[in-house]
């Protein structure tokens, strides 16, 4: 019997968190390449610390994207996040680029040639997940943890909340009764702040964003509401802690409520199945739940480098399914071509749509008119209902 009464915790980090700064720069580099050539290949990694940013990785794309352009893209990303601090400033930080051409051995395995279809950019397994706990079909703890920080960031960018700095973290613990979330047992928010603002003042500045983010009546007890538990958070971002691309993979996905294949997303063009197949798996799982065929759905895909077809396809509806899982798996694979090329074309992933994914989660977001978050669309619902005779 699955556990039905429990508590579960997820965390989120803001765009100014050191690791997220690196994710943002990495994805801004991906976007720059795809904007000039949709078939560019990019694997961009970033490290940042006090007023210092290092770019590394392998690319294949237009010659117009030089090291000087990489520097400009980096500074623009840091400025857009809002870093104009003594220890980390978009204008003053030293930027070093060690980005170089992609290995021909990797290109040989991935490129389509003669009768060979485009192969996967690496081996590995990827997971997608959806659950009916929120309208976005995301696990509730990570959904509300993201929402708290996004509301705070929106207020900061709009100039309504000048005391907040770019760096912040949240953590939401929810109580589940009969398998459904019913309220928060504790909430933690740590935010970088102006040095002239007291701890008590920061707590009251944060409170309305928490109350706005979570459902009415879900607020935790006052003694379990923690804001800046250390008492002070003035030095933050890369000045307070070094950052790396791809170090917040659970924040990026389902907050620990579902499995993760282990591969990060940011800095990778869509031939890399770490990214594109994880998006496809979420797309399929979300459509299953949106069609009412299950209340909860996990999908796993696996690939080998240079091989086009997925090695495995797994569906688990966790005892909530209204249809046979084996038949569901067959139907989903008929609806979407799950080769790397098929995924890219179906979700139209060869576009500059990735910088916006670098903070507040890759999933549970509203699809954009320009194709961003295309994997959040629910366009398969009609076909799934028809296939299974669902009302």
């Amino acid at each position: 019997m699955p556990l039905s009464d429990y508590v579960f915790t997820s965390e989120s980090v803001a765009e100014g968190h050191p690791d997220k700064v690196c994710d943002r720069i990495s994805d801004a580099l991906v976007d720059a390449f795809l904007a000039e050539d949709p078939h560019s290949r990019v694997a961009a990694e970033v490290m940042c610390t006090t007023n210092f940013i290092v770019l590394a990785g392998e690319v294949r794309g237009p010659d117009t994207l030089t090291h000087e352009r990489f520097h400009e893209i980096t500074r623009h990303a840091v400025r857009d996040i809002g870093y104009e601090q003594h220890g980390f400033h978009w204008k003053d930080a030293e930027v070093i680029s060690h980005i170089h051409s992609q290995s021909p051995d990797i290109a040989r395995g991935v490129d389509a040639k003669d009768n060979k279809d485009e192969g996967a950019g690496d081996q590995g397994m990827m997971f997608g997940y959806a659950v009916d706990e929120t309208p976005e079909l995301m696990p509730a703890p990570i959904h509300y943890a993201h929402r708290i920080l996004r509301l705070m960031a929106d207020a900061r960018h709009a100039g309504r909340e000048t005391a907040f700095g770019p760096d912040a973290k949240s953590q939401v613990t929810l109580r589940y009764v009969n398998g459904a979330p019913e309220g928060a047992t504790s909430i933690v928010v740590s935010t970088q702040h102006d040095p002239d603002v007291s701890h008590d003042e920061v707590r009251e500045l944060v409170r309305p964003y928490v109350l706005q983010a979570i459902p009415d009546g879900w607020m935790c007890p006052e003694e379990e509401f923690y804001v800046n538990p250390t008492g002070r958070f003035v030095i933050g971002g890369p000045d307070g802690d070094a950052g790396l691309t791809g170090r917040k993979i659970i924040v990026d996905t389902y907050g620990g409520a579902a499995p993760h294949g282990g591969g990060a997303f940011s800095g990778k063009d869509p031939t890399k199945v770490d990214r594109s197949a994880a998006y496809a798996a979420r797309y399929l799982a979300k459509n299953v739940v949106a069609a009412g065929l299950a209340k909860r759905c996990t999908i796993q895909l696996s690939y080998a480098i240079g091989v086009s077809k997925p090695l495995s396809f797994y569906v688990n509806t966790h005892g909530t399914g209204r249809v046979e899982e084996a038949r569901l798996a067959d139907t989903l694979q008929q609806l979407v071509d799950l080769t790397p090329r098929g995924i890219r074309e179906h979700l139209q992933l060869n576009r500059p749509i990735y910088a916006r994914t670098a903070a507040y989660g890759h999933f549970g977001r509203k699809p954009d008119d320009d194709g961003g978050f295309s994997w959040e669309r629910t366009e398969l619902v009609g076909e799934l209902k028809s296939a299974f005779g669902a009302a």
Side-chain angles (χ1 to χ4, degrees):
M1 290 287 291
L3 190 66
S4 61
D5 296 349
Y6 56 93
V7 295
F8 193 84
T9 302
S10 295
E11 73 157 348
S12 178
V13 297
E15 65 205 74
H17 184 283
D19 297 329
K20 282 291 147 200
V21 172
C22 295
D23 285 346
R24 173 65 172 274
I25 296 168
S26 295
D27 277 336
L29 292 168
V30 173
D31 282 355
F33 274 92
L34 294 179
E36 296 205 17
D37 179 359
H39 299 289
S40 294
R41 300 287 170 78
V42 186
E45 311 290 343
V46 177
M47 187 279 288
C48 64
T49 185
T50 302
N51 265 340
F52 189 73
I53 302 169
V54 178
L55 315 179
E58 302 79 43
V59 298
R60 188 178 74 189
D63 293 337
T64 51
L65 286 156
T66 62
H67 291 290
E68 289 73 21
R69 283 285 307 279
F70 300 157
H71 289 203
E72 292 173 8
I73 292 163
T74 297
R75 294 190 190 282
H76 184 272
V78 174
R79 181 176 61 184
D80 196 51
I81 292 168
Y83 273 112
E84 295 184 341
Q85 300 172 3
H86 175 71
F88 197 70
H89 197 295
W90 65 270
K91 188 183 296 185
D92 300 333
E94 181 180 359
V95 181
I96 296 178
S97 174
H98 290 284
I99 293 173
H100 58 83
S101 297
Q102 183 189 55
S103 162
D105 291 344
I106 294 176
R108 184 179 299 112
V110 175
D111 289 347
K113 186 177 181 180
D114 300 328
N115 293 325
K116 176 187 174 296
D117 197 1
E118 177 184 295
D122 201 352
Q123 70 176 45
M125 66 282 191
M126 301 83 207
F127 288 92
Y129 183 71
V131 63
D132 65 355
E133 293 177 8
T134 62
E136 294 78 7
L137 304 184
M138 285 289 288
I142 189 67
H143 173 74
Y144 296 120
H146 284 324
R147 191 157 187 244
I148 290 168
L149 295 185
R150 191 151 196 192
L151 289 170
M152 292 171 60
D154 289 346
R156 177 175 62 84
H157 282 297
R160 298 192 305 271
E161 209 65 84
T162 58
F164 291 159
D167 194 359
K169 300 177 76 171
S170 65
Q171 184 171 286
V172 174
T173 301
L174 296 184
R175 176 181 65 257
Y176 283 72
V177 178
N178 293 325
E182 289 202 348
T185 61
S186 69
I187 294 176
V188 184
V189 180
S190 295
T191 181
Q192 189 180 14
H193 60 88
D194 188 279
D196 297 328
V197 181
S198 72
H199 181 230
D200 288 343
E201 288 172 324
V202 173
R203 181 185 182 88
E204 296 313 310
L205 288 173
V206 167
R207 187 187 300 274
Y209 299 102
V210 173
L211 293 173
Q212 183 182 349
I214 63 176
D216 290 343
W218 279 36
M219 186 61 177
C220 63
E222 187 64 19
E223 64 271 17
E224 296 296 330
F225 178 42
Y226 302 96
V227 176
N228 286 3
T230 65
R232 182 176 170 86
F233 187 3
V234 173
I235 298 173
D239 189 26
D241 190 13
L244 293 169
T245 297
R247 205 160 58 171
K248 287 292 178 286
I249 59 176
I250 300 303
V251 171
D252 285 344
T253 54
Y254 307 102
H260 195 297
F265 303 155
S266 290
K268 298 176 181 178
D269 74 77
T271 67
K272 277 73 170 174
V273 285
D274 275 341
R275 179 167 227 158
S276 56
Y279 290 172
R282 160 64 178 176
Y283 173 68
L284 294 177
K286 183 176 183 181
N287 275 271
V288 167
V289 176
L293 302 183
K295 295 174 67 65
R296 181 180 168 206
C297 182
T298 299
I299 288 177
Q300 186 204 55
L301 291 159
S302 69
Y303 294 84
I305 188 168
V307 178
S308 60
K309 68 178 181 67
L311 304 185
S312 65
F313 185 85
Y314 162 86
V315 178
N316 185 352
T317 55
H318 307 276
T320 70
R322 296 174 54 193
V323 299
E324 182 186 356
E325 288 170 343
R327 187 179 164 208
L328 179 59
D330 289 341
T331 302
L332 291 171
Q333 291 177 89
Q334 292 169 20
L335 291 176
V336 179
D337 176 359
L338 293 172
T339 64
R341 176 189 52 77
I343 292 170
R344 289 191 300 102
E345 292 179 354
H346 188 95
L347 297 177
Q348 298 178 292
L349 297 179
N350 285 85
R351 311 190 204 189
I353 55 174
Y354 297 106
R356 70 195 75 172
T357 69
Y360 314 115
H362 290 245
F363 307 127
R365 307 282 288 273
K366 183 179 178 181
D368 293 324
D369 292 340
D370 66 353
F373 301 103
S374 60
W375 49 94
E376 291 297 312
R377 301 189 310 237
T378 53
E379 61 211 2
L380 300 182
V381 165
E383 291 175 278
L384 284 169
K385 286 183 175 181
S386 176
F388 290 95

